[in-house]
Amino acid sequence: MKERMYHLNLKPEDGARFALLPGDPGRVEQIAACLDGARQVAVNREFCTWAGMVAGERVLVTSTGIGGPSAAIAMEELASIGVDTFIRVGTCGGMQLAVQGGDIVVPTAAIRMDGTSREYLPVEFPAVADFSLTRALADAAEQSGLRGHLGVVQSKDSFYGQHEPERMPVGQRLQADWQAWIKGGALASEMECAALFTVAACLGVRAGAVLTCVWNQERQAAGLSNPETHDSGAAIRVAVEAVRRLTDGGR
Ligand SMILES: O=P(O)(O)O[C@H]1O[C@H](CO)[C@@H](O)[C@H]1O
Ligand SMILES: O=c1cc[nH]c(=O)[nH]1
């Protein structure tokens, strides 16, 4: 029998062309429930993998855990068993006032404030989502009827550096950068897109993402209503519909 992947515990014969990548292992089963004939394939550390079918195409669902290092590991090991199309199905916090809890965000690119992507390519190299994949995600999001946003997201390594920067010795820098990202139009903040888009460029595979906005700290600070949601159902449906569109001749 062939060797299993060191972290994901998958065998080469478990491979597929498509992978859906939530950060949270708790989201894997919810995504798998939208596939045909899904079953669990492997579990190790934060990496839980199920496999099922969409429009006759085998699709893997693998959790990446939180942050760039484990997301890069998941992408590397999945690519080594044949995955060439990756869709992160994640969550984010809104930065622009128009991006509210419950909205869908489809990233076109990610600000590389993470550490992992810098161990792949110099920081001047942009972390860009695959165009055909992003178009399929944006079309599927539009069809969903939910409020959706297409644009740049910010990827960082410290969740609490985002939410409590004033506690950090480098807080002034974090806050100044945060305001600059907002002025530049960054829609939302999350933790994996920059690593995934950069590693995908290095591996010659496609990567995109669809994110559920869970809340918006800027709306809170401005005294505006700040609806909060932890339901990723709509983003999951958008991701599965995008896979369907890509398997229907969109490649
Ligand atoms: O819900 P997931 O996909 O994990 O995404 C977001 O949630 C985590 C932080 O709470 C980070 O991984 C961030 O990117
Ligand atoms: O505010 C948020 C919400 C989700 N994920 C993040 O990284 N930040």
Side-chain angles (χ1 to χ4, degrees):
M1 193 164 86
K2 291 199 188 119
E3 225 178 293
R4 286 179 179 268
M5 299 295 116
Y6 180 54
H7 299 93
L8 268 54
N9 201 30
L10 292 170
K11 302 188 293 295
E13 53 268 38
D14 292 326
R17 293 194 62 192
F18 286 83
L20 302 178
L21 306 178
D24 184 357
R27 204 175 298 136
V28 172
E29 235 179 295
Q30 194 190 349
I31 300 173
C34 298
L35 312 183
D36 299 327
R39 63 179 183 85
Q40 192 178 78
V41 183
V43 188
N44 191 43
R45 295 178 182 248
E46 60 268 68
F47 306 110
C48 171
T49 299
W50 283 57
M53 307 292 284
V54 175
E57 181 90 26
R58 183 173 160 83
V59 176
L60 299 177
V61 186
T62 299
S63 53
T64 64
I66 289 182
S70 55
I73 285 171
M75 180 171 268
E76 292 268 8
E77 294 190 5
L78 288 167
S80 79
I81 58 169
V83 179
D84 65 12
T85 303
F86 296 83
I87 300 177
R88 167 164 154 69
V89 186
T91 63
C92 61
M95 295 172 72
Q96 298 296 320
L97 294 178
V99 181
Q100 300 190 46
D103 290 3
I104 295 286
V105 175
V106 175
T108 53
I111 295 165
R112 292 177 54 190
M113 207 177 146
D114 68 313
T116 304
S117 72
R118 293 170 198 232
E119 296 189 24
Y120 280 84
L121 282 166
V123 75
E124 293 81 5
F125 192 97
V128 181
D130 177 82
F131 180 72
S132 61
L133 194 45
T134 303
R135 184 168 51 188
L137 288 163
D139 288 348
E142 193 175 345
Q143 182 190 285
S144 77
L146 284 170
R147 199 166 43 219
H149 309 269
L150 183 69
V152 174
V153 297
Q154 179 246 19
S155 304
K156 80 277 163 187
D157 281 344
S158 169
F159 181 86
Y160 289 103
Q162 173 196 340
H163 287 283
E164 299 171 20
E166 65 285 353
R167 263 201 312 114
M168 310 305 172
V170 297
Q172 280 190 340
R173 201 174 73 212
L174 293 177
Q175 285 169 315
D177 282 350
W178 180 262
Q179 291 308 322
W181 309 139
I182 289 175
K183 284 189 180 133
L187 296 173
S189 179
E190 58 81 71
M191 300 180 69
E192 293 81 17
C193 283
L196 290 170
F197 297 168
T198 305
V199 176
C202 293
L203 297 177
V205 296
R206 305 192 287 188
V210 54
L211 310 172
T212 305
C213 178
V214 296
W215 53 46
N216 184 325
Q217 68 201 70
E218 293 301 314
R219 287 186 65 86
Q220 180 90 18
L224 299 169
S225 66
N226 183 22
E228 186 172 326
T229 184
H230 297 280
D231 177 5
S232 286
I236 292 169
R237 286 190 292 279
V238 166
V240 172
E241 173 59 22
V243 171
R244 188 167 286 118
R245 285 165 185 251
L246 290 161
T247 56
D248 280 352
R251 288 175 187 279

